[in-house]
Amino acid sequence: MLVGYSSSSEEESEEAAATAQTKSCSPKCPEEDDGEDGSPARKKPKTEEQVPKASRLPLPGCLLAMFPEDLDSQTEDPALHGGRIRSFKHERGNWATYVYLPYHPEEEFRDLLEELLSVARAHSVVLQPQEEFHLSVSQTVVLRHHWIQPFTQSLRAGLVHCKRFVCSAGRLRVYCNAEKTRTFLAMEVCTGHAQLLDLVQAVDRTMTEFRLDTFYKDPSFHVSLAWCVGDVTGQMEGCIQELQGLVDDHEEGPFLLCLNCVELRCRTGNKTFCFPLEP
């Protein structure tokens, strides 16, 4: 089934924490001009001619820190991220954050995914497999660095009574993010929906506390399998039934993706926090 649903977190790339520069930079010596008393002028050193380009030393960190926008612009280059475009501009001190349940795939899942990607390619849809697999229970939001500790403390307190459970997914669906910059092939959850809604309620309480966006009102819980740049939902119409056939006619019966939900995770920038659920 094709839906124009906004994927919650897969389109976001991870942020790296900025490292403080501690070394100071020595001041340059001023160039000397001709003396007013008629003495010959000292020749200026021809640094550019004496030092070959290949052997130049890198600029000190303190000089690079004077132009942070030049460094940050590299993180905005889609070519460095497989063509992916950020949903919001990266700013120093802002951390992309989302809450999710991890999925650890088995060999059977990986074999099926290869078949799905092969059929999609035959229909001129080239999908990239996810680097990791998870089920989101929050939207991607932006946290200031000094909010991280109280935010995660609030999450931990809100999840203290949430129990472990198992959920499964088996129906393929296509999602496109709100900006229409990425399309995802995913498996939608078919069991465990009520328990997932309980987790969302707990996470939403923390989001509300920090005045951040809560999750979707009528969420379509799913695990994204693969993605491509742009909105290709129309192209996927020609092969979604064939793809679903691969899932339904699997070697040992219809394939079910099963998540053993024993812990919730929160990723913020390059940090991951784990919250074990009650047995």
Side-chain angles (χ1 to χ4, degrees):
M1 181 178 292
L2 282 292
V3 292
Y5 182 87
S6 175
S7 180
S8 59
S9 67
E10 290 84 355
E11 69 271 23
E12 302 299 338
S13 56
E14 297 179 358
E15 304 294 331
T19 304
Q21 298 289 347
T22 56
K23 296 184 178 180
S24 60
C25 175
S26 301
K28 292 183 179 178
C29 295
E31 296 176 348
E32 299 186 20
D33 299 322
D34 292 349
E36 294 180 358
D37 59 355
S39 59
R42 296 182 184 178
K43 292 183 179 180
K44 299 175 183 177
K46 296 183 179 180
T47 308
E48 295 292 334
E49 297 177 6
Q50 294 173 357
V51 182
K53 271 189 175 183
S55 62
R56 290 180 189 169
L57 294 174
L59 287 174
C62 60
L63 288 183
L64 294 175
M66 295 171 63
F67 307 98
E69 66 277 4
D70 294 338
L71 299 179
D72 289 344
S73 65
Q74 296 178 13
T75 67
E76 301 298 326
D77 185 357
L80 301 178
H81 308 284
R84 291 172 290 186
I85 300 174
R86 290 185 185 277
S87 296
F88 45 83
K89 182 177 175 59
H90 168 64
E91 293 182 14
R92 198 176 292 275
N94 283 353
W95 293 55
T97 303
Y98 60 98
V99 185
Y100 63 97
L101 291 160
Y103 170 60
H104 307 290
E106 298 178 352
E107 195 63 33
E108 182 184 16
F109 167 83
R110 296 191 181 278
D111 291 342
L112 174 61
L113 180 56
E114 284 299 320
E115 293 182 58
L116 295 173
L117 299 183
S118 178
V119 169
R121 280 194 299 270
H123 289 264
S124 302
V125 180
V126 180
L127 299 169
Q128 301 294 327
Q130 292 287 119
E131 294 178 1
E132 61 177 28
F133 305 93
H134 66 264
L135 189 157
S136 294
V137 292
S138 83
Q139 295 198 57
T140 298
V141 297
V142 178
L143 275 186
R144 296 297 295 170
H145 184 267
H146 61 276
W147 289 356
I148 294 175
Q149 183 178 2
F151 181 87
T152 53
Q153 287 176 340
S154 175
L155 271 181
R156 190 176 301 278
L159 294 167
V160 69
H161 297 301
C162 292
K163 303 291 185 181
R164 298 179 181 180
F165 63 99
V166 175
C167 67
S168 58
R171 183 174 63 158
L172 292 176
R173 296 189 71 172
V174 176
Y175 299 86
C176 189
N177 64 357
E179 297 79 17
K180 305 298 183 184
T181 57
R182 290 178 74 190
T183 303
F184 300 86
L185 176 66
M187 275 192 177
E188 187 180 32
V189 165
C190 54
T191 65
H193 197 271
Q195 292 92 330
L196 289 169
L197 287 176
D198 288 341
L199 288 181
V200 167
Q201 286 184 347
V203 173
D204 277 353
R205 284 194 291 269
T206 293
M207 293 295 182
T208 301
E209 179 184 344
F210 286 81
R211 299 183 180 181
L212 299 170
D213 289 339
T214 55
F215 206 44
Y216 307 104
K217 290 183 179 179
D218 186 20
S220 173
F221 296 111
H222 61 276
V223 176
S224 286
L225 311 181
W227 62 276
C228 66
V229 174
D231 182 359
V232 299
T233 52
Q235 291 173 253
M236 293 294 292
E237 274 185 36
C239 64
I240 192 64
Q241 293 301 324
E242 186 176 351
L243 295 175
Q244 185 65 53
L246 291 175
V247 175
D248 295 340
D249 300 330
H250 199 58
E251 296 175 356
E252 299 178 2
F255 176 84
L256 275 181
L257 183 156
C258 294
L259 282 86
N260 189 17
C261 306
V262 299
E263 70 175 11
L264 203 65
R265 294 183 183 179
C266 173
R267 179 165 295 167
T268 177
N270 63 346
K271 299 178 183 295
T272 301
F273 298 86
C274 299
F275 308 95
L277 301 177
E278 288 293 306

